[in-house]
Amino acid sequence: MSGERRGRDRDRDQDRDENRTQDRDRDRDRGRERVIAQGTFDLLHPGHVHYLESAAAMGGELHVIVARRDNVTHKEPPVLPDRQRRDMVAALDVVDAARVGHPEDIFVPVEEIDPDVIALGHDQHHDDEAIAAALAERGIDCEVRRAGPREPKYEGELLSTGRIVDRICEKRC
């Protein structure tokens, strides 16, 4: 690649970064902070909806990153395909944009979205301080917050995928 082309590419990347910063500043002026929520979202349930509604309330624009099946190592991998889980999340009114996470680096979509807040679920396994440190190390300036829990609204309401699977097995297996 010629030096002239590299220079044009660098200028284009710089212009894109400046435009992204201007867009983010304009959104902030309008009170529309960008929020990221993330998770597996296998067998969408009321607990997920509560988490996403809580995350949306932390800003004005909710982006959701759906974990790739291959990247889920802290529990059993999801039953449903990545795209189906993304499509189910995207169908919720409270969600402005949903995407499947990066295959290798969980922070790539965070850098692309450039959020003001990362909202964690009340029971997600993530260490808030470790995430904040990793964000700072990458130069991502955003706050890490936790959504509050949701109590069942009626007897028998199931608020976790594991409990739903257990109930299905109890009744159907």
Side-chain angles (χ1 to χ4, degrees):
M1 182 184 308
S2 74
E4 182 180 318
R5 182 168 177 194
R6 274 194 302 271
R8 281 194 315 262
D9 288 347
R10 188 174 39 252
D11 290 345
R12 185 192 68 231
D13 290 345
Q14 185 176 2
D15 288 345
R16 186 188 67 229
D17 290 344
E18 287 173 7
N19 288 338
R20 185 182 299 159
T21 300
Q22 289 169 352
D23 289 346
R24 182 175 176 186
D25 291 345
R26 187 183 65 244
D27 287 345
R28 281 184 173 151
D29 290 344
R30 293 179 184 161
R32 291 187 51 84
E33 291 186 322
R34 282 191 197 126
V35 178
I36 289 179
Q38 57 73 42
T40 307
F41 303 105
D42 200 20
L43 302 178
L44 205 55
H45 56 72
H48 290 133
V49 174
H50 170 75
Y51 164 46
L52 296 174
E53 287 173 344
S54 296
M58 294 178 191
E61 187 179 305
L62 178 60
H63 294 255
V64 181
I65 301 170
V66 177
R68 288 181 176 272
R69 185 179 208 282
D70 293 342
N71 292 348
V72 176
T73 58
H74 64 284
K75 61 182 178 181
E76 289 294 319
V79 173
L80 301 175
D82 297 345
R83 287 176 46 193
Q84 182 175 345
R85 291 180 290 114
R86 183 215 47 218
D87 292 348
M88 291 299 296
V89 168
L92 298 172
D93 287 341
V94 71
V95 175
D96 293 295
R99 64 168 74 186
V100 174
H102 191 272
E104 295 156 9
D105 184 346
I106 63 170
F107 290 100
V108 167
V110 175
E111 291 171 330
E112 291 171 354
I113 295 166
D114 192 23
D116 299 289
V117 178
I118 293 182
L120 302 176
H122 81 96
D123 63 350
Q124 286 182 327
H125 71 284
H126 303 292
D127 177 339
D128 305 35
E129 291 177 13
I131 290 174
L135 293 167
E137 188 175 298
R138 287 175 169 252
I140 302 169
D141 179 24
C142 75
E143 187 179 346
V144 177
R145 298 186 202 161
R146 282 230 179 240
R150 179 185 180 280
E151 297 301 320
K153 292 184 177 178
Y154 51 85
E155 188 175 330
E157 184 181 31
L158 302 174
L159 302 176
S160 80
T161 300
R163 288 190 181 119
I164 292 170
V165 169
D166 291 345
R167 178 72 55 85
I168 291 169
C169 288
E170 201 178 280
K171 302 284 185 185
R172 305 281 170 113
C173 297

